[in-house]
Amino acid sequence: MSEQRDSAGSGLIAETYLVDGGLRLPGEAGGMPAFAAIDQRKGQRDLMAVQVAPDAPPRMAAISSMTGSVIGTGVIGSGMIGSGMIGSGMGGGAIDGVLSPLAHGSAAAAPPGPDGRAALYVICPRPSGPALSALQAGPGIWSEAALLQNLVRPAALTLARLEERGLTHRSIRPNNLYQPHPGAPVQLGCAWAGPPALLQPAVFEPPYSAMCHPAGRGDGSIADDVYALGVVLLSLALGQVPLAGLEPDDVIRRKLELGSFVALAGSARLSPTIADLVRGMLAEEPSHRPVPRLLADPLAARARRVAARPQTRAQSALAFGSAQVWNARSLALALSRDPEGAAHLLRGFAVDLWLRRALGDPVLAGRVEAVVRDPDPEPGTRPVDPPTIVMRAVSVLDPLAPLVWRGLALFPDALGPLLAAVSGGQASRPQAGMDGIVELIEGDALDLWTRARPERGDPATAWPGTVELRVPLRAAGWAGGPARVTYALNPLLPCRSALLAGICVVRLADVLPALERVAAGLADPRTDMLIDAELGAFLAARLSGRADADLAILAHLDQQADDPRGERGLAQLRVLTLLQGRGTAQPAPALAQAALRSVTRALAAWHHRGQRAAREAALRQAAEAGQLSDMLALIEDVPARKSAASAAAAASAELRRIAADLASLDADTGLRDATIRVSGEEIAKAAGLVVLVCTVVAKVLS
């Protein structure tokens, strides 16, 4: 299938959808900005364009699956990064019961994002009716029949269809569920225009997901969607969202201490059927929750009860900071929130004594003690450092917990969105939190975390590790670093380069047209700066290493005030030629003219004046035609350069021979001058003697 096309210059998204910036649709995209959209080909108007936040890339796998589009590249080396389908084209079309994506892209006429730059949009149908968010003012308490027939059954069938595609929804909450009218089945809202569960309140997430950074929750499993649906079911049965008004950490702590069902339902009176369903859907262990196909028959799902061992509550609380800890999972949460204090606490005797005496679990105490003593399961392979101790201790205390590193909690498949979030406006200028993620990639923490929780799955089939990420992270100059890894892990993250002047560029094919538009508007068309660090990182990720050498040159020369030999211009031209392709892409005359001055300097290598003048003229003609590849060929004409170099070498040799002859001639001239001087003196003496003799003879004869 063909690649989904972004049409920033045409005013249409995917050359089909027009965004009506004057008609905002509040409440129709689960809390995300949305505008009315029109299918210009079919005249369809019941569509919306959901605006993507600049630091929260959309969900590539879901969009690829449901639109059938081949999206960018997320491959580093020979492996696939993340859990999404990348460039597979294995789409199966829209899914009934959910607002499926139809297209994605940007358009010049669409409203800009909050940062003032052109925004990326995801096109999908508009909801069939209002959201369920105003529970008390709207639907109120639903009857048992309405809950089963209009909520549980249709949502479960939709989740089953998603599960068949290997997808999750991860945005099931009242303001993202829609109902055309009372008594109608609910419809799941759009969940694709941002990272999974980005906007999910803590009450609708399992504790192990809610404790993560909002961008670090990952795709999760369909069991997480079942959990969220269970909270919605409970909310509609009660007529209000449980624990409303509590801070997220308080919600998570309450769930960990009491269990999700007790924490949310409390002493509320529920019908036996609803109570049993909610209890199963909110099970702490994901595998204990009913699967969607079973949940589609609520009575059968109710009958499936899995006995779970309740959390052991300590006889007395462990005080840690401002928290009072009553069980092992609560202790894991407290440790994750204060990494420095956690390392100090673990190295003391307080945790060991509390686990043994107050909690009565010497086995768990022994496992935690082993982690503190040697945090690496392969002794002697790494030093004992506090972040590793805390990370593995949290995993031992709560096997469901995410990876915790220096106060940052995430699941590994969310590494890409998390990098985009913590890098803020520019991936090349790391913000708070980036250092910790770079340390994760450079070290063994991801692999250690996977091995620390073997009961959660086979480590061999889990996250592939960070070895392949280290290569681009360590690459020289603009070709490497956190920025390149960020773009590599986020194929739908627009380039953040300031050079692009607010144009939304997501695909590699969009870079050259965008630069052409920028070059056409330059006040000085002879500017040397055509690629900066941010664009360099974007290109390095999308070109898969083909421009790394030139990007390293650009990074080195960027620190220098001048470029007398035109090396910067030549490196830029090589990169731009890769983008244009050889004779296949549209001309870029404005960009070629902008590159001309710095590129001309490289002709200094041509010593033959006539050849250099001819090539300068041809170079100007190629620039006027916008053919970057022809410009590069004129400068890097290897046979001609070799011939010119040979001619220059022969001329130099001839000059040296002439110089030697002149030097020899100078030496011979000196010898002759000396000989002439000596001979002249002797002739003068002889002549004087002759004159004297003649004078004497004349006197004698007289």
Side-chain angles (χ1 to χ4, degrees), residues 314 316-321 323-326 331 345 350-351 354-355 358:
S316 59
L318 173 66
F320 179 49
Q324 295 291 316
V325 176
W326 289 94
L331 175 59
L345 185 70
V351 171
W354 181 80
L355 289 173

Side-chain angles (χ1 to χ4, degrees), residues 173-189:
R173 53 184 182 270
N175 74 339
N176 204 31
L177 291 172
Y178 304 90
Q179 190 178 34
H181 55 81
V186 299
Q187 181 184 45
L188 275 61

Side-chain angles (χ1 to χ4, degrees), residues 92-139:
I95 295 177
D96 292 338
V98 64
L99 300 180
S100 303
L102 303 175
H104 72 280
S106 62
D115 58 353
R117 300 167 64 93
L120 187 68
Y121 285 87
V122 173
I123 304 294
C124 65
R126 291 180 64 174
S128 57
L132 305 181
S133 50
L135 294 178
Q136 292 180 336

Side-chain angles (χ1 to χ4, degrees), residues 524-543:
D524 180 5
R526 300 174 301 167
T527 180
D528 289 350
M529 197 62 179
L530 304 175
I531 300 175
D532 63 2
E534 194 72 26
L535 180 56
F538 179 87
L539 294 176
R542 301 294 186 260
L543 287 168

Side-chain angles (χ1 to χ4, degrees), residues 220-305:
S221 69
I222 210 69
D224 299 325
D225 284 324
V226 170
Y227 183 102
L229 182 61
V231 180
V232 174
L233 172 60
L234 178 62
S235 300
L236 294 175
L238 298 176
Q240 62 181 0
V241 176
L243 306 182
L246 286 184
E247 292 296 321
D249 267 8
D250 294 332
V251 172
I252 299 169
R253 190 176 298 109
R254 187 176 176 87
K255 287 183 178 182
L256 292 176
E257 290 177 356
L258 303 177
S260 292
F261 178 76
V262 174
L264 297 178
S267 58
R269 298 183 64 181
L270 301 169
S271 71
T273 299
I274 299 301
D276 288 344
L277 266 179
V278 172
R279 184 178 288 105
M281 297 169 75
L282 300 185
E284 304 304 316
E285 171 59 52
S287 62
H288 292 172
R289 300 168 200 156
V291 297
R293 285 293 180 191
L294 180 61
L295 197 60
D297 183 356
L299 296 179
R302 178 195 177 193
R304 179 185 181 271
R305 296 183 180 180

Side-chain angles (χ1 to χ4, degrees), residues 606 615 632-646:
W606 298 80
R615 287 191 177 270
L632 184 63
L634 285 166
I635 298 174
E636 292 191 328
D637 187 342
V638 176
R641 289 190 68 172
K642 286 184 177 179
S643 175
S646 298

